[in-house]
Amino acid sequence: MSDDAELTRWVVHGERLLYDNRWIRLGLADVEIPGGERFEHHVVHLDRAAIAVVLDEQDRVLMMWRHRFVFDRWGWELPGGLIESGEDPMVTALREVEEETGYRPAGLERLVSYQPMAGMVDSEHILFVGRGAEQVGKPEGEVEADRLEWIPMSEVPEMIARGDIWTSGTLIGLLQAQVWLNGRGRG
């Protein structure tokens, strides 16, 4: 690490828990910024999530049309969910695809991991990609999607431009899957 990087590094002196439940932990961190100013900063901790891009041999991606009540907005999303404590993220991705869509992927490989809002939220998302899936049943549990479709990857840019694809995991997953397709995913 360069000396310049050290000049911008924040020091965390501790963190106290303000709220905690199964879904979210809210803390107040005691931080010091370069120059010596010290203050409290909110930090949100969420469980890690696994998201899967499942493609068929025609370069179509398995997607779900979902309503998100927080924004009262519909959009196309990739299957995924929270990683259970001690669970391998790939196992989560495989399980979530099957639960949410009724399809079992032939296999997945890790694409990338990212933090969707690094300034104050800790919520690692891990993306996987794979080719091929077998329909083994119907979606399980709570209503996950209004409908499922295999959408041609060639239509994705226009869907993004229209606002039909707008969630971070789906946007990043589809863009990374395109890179994968242009490289090693063709073989």
Side-chain angles (χ1 to χ4, degrees), residues 73 76 154-166 171 174-175:
R73 188 169 171 186
W76 288 103
S154 61
E155 293 180 16
V156 166
E158 178 58 33
M159 295 170 73
I160 292 170
R162 267 194 322 262
D164 290 341
I165 297 173
W166 56 276
L171 286 166
L174 292 170
L175 294 171

Side-chain angles (χ1 to χ4, degrees), residues 87-150:
E87 185 175 37
D88 181 290
M90 186 176 299
V91 170
T92 302
L94 291 164
R95 173 178 46 80
E96 289 292 333
V97 171
E98 190 169 333
E99 287 177 4
E100 293 181 348
T101 70
Y103 282 87
R104 181 176 297 144
L108 295 174
E109 69 178 77
R110 188 180 178 129
L111 268 179
V112 68
S113 66
Y114 69 97
Q115 289 280 352
M117 193 174 163
M120 64 187 305
V121 179
D122 172 17
S123 176
E124 181 183 27
H125 286 53
I126 304 167
L127 290 162
F128 295 87
V129 66
R131 227 188 235 294
E134 173 188 6
Q135 188 168 12
V136 295
K138 295 185 185 237
E140 301 174 6
E142 65 187 61
V143 176
E144 293 286 353
D146 204 45
R147 69 184 200 254
L148 302 169
E149 284 188 28
W150 288 93

Side-chain angles (χ1 to χ4, degrees), residues 21-140:
N21 73 13
R22 162 68 183 97
W23 304 104
I24 187 171
R25 290 170 306 286
L26 176 62
L28 199 55
D30 175 9
V31 297
E32 183 178 336
I33 61 173
E37 184 181 355
R38 193 166 169 174
F39 56 92
E40 292 184 313
H41 192 288
H42 285 91
V43 180
V44 178
H45 300 279
L46 304 172
D47 288 344
R48 298 182 309 152
I51 301 167
V53 182
V54 180
L55 300 160
D56 67 8
E57 293 304 322
Q58 299 169 25
D59 289 346
R60 296 179 306 171
V61 60
L62 181 60
M63 298 189 71
M64 308 177 307
W65 180 250
R66 298 190 68 176
H67 179 259
R68 293 298 184 175
F69 79 92
V70 174
F71 307 97
D72 191 21
R73 188 169 171 186
W74 290 88
W76 288 103
E77 295 184 13
L78 297 169
L82 298 178
I83 300 168
E84 295 177 7
S85 180
E87 185 175 37
D88 181 290
M90 186 176 299
V91 170
T92 302
L94 291 164
R95 173 178 46 80
E96 289 292 333
V97 171
E98 190 169 333
E99 287 177 4
E100 293 181 348
T101 70
Y103 282 87
R104 181 176 297 144
L108 295 174
E109 69 178 77
R110 188 180 178 129
L111 268 179
V112 68
S113 66
Y114 69 97
Q115 289 280 352
M117 193 174 163
M120 64 187 305
V121 179
D122 172 17
S123 176
E124 181 183 27
H125 286 53
I126 304 167
L127 290 162
F128 295 87
V129 66
R131 227 188 235 294
E134 173 188 6
Q135 188 168 12
V136 295
K138 295 185 185 237
E140 301 174 6

Side-chain angles (χ1 to χ4, degrees), residues 5-24:
E6 285 299 322
L7 295 175
T8 60
R9 183 185 201 114
W10 290 27
V11 176
V12 179
H13 295 284
E15 183 177 330
R16 66 184 165 94
L17 189 63
L18 298 176
Y19 179 78
D20 186 15
N21 73 13
R22 162 68 183 97
W23 304 104
I24 187 171

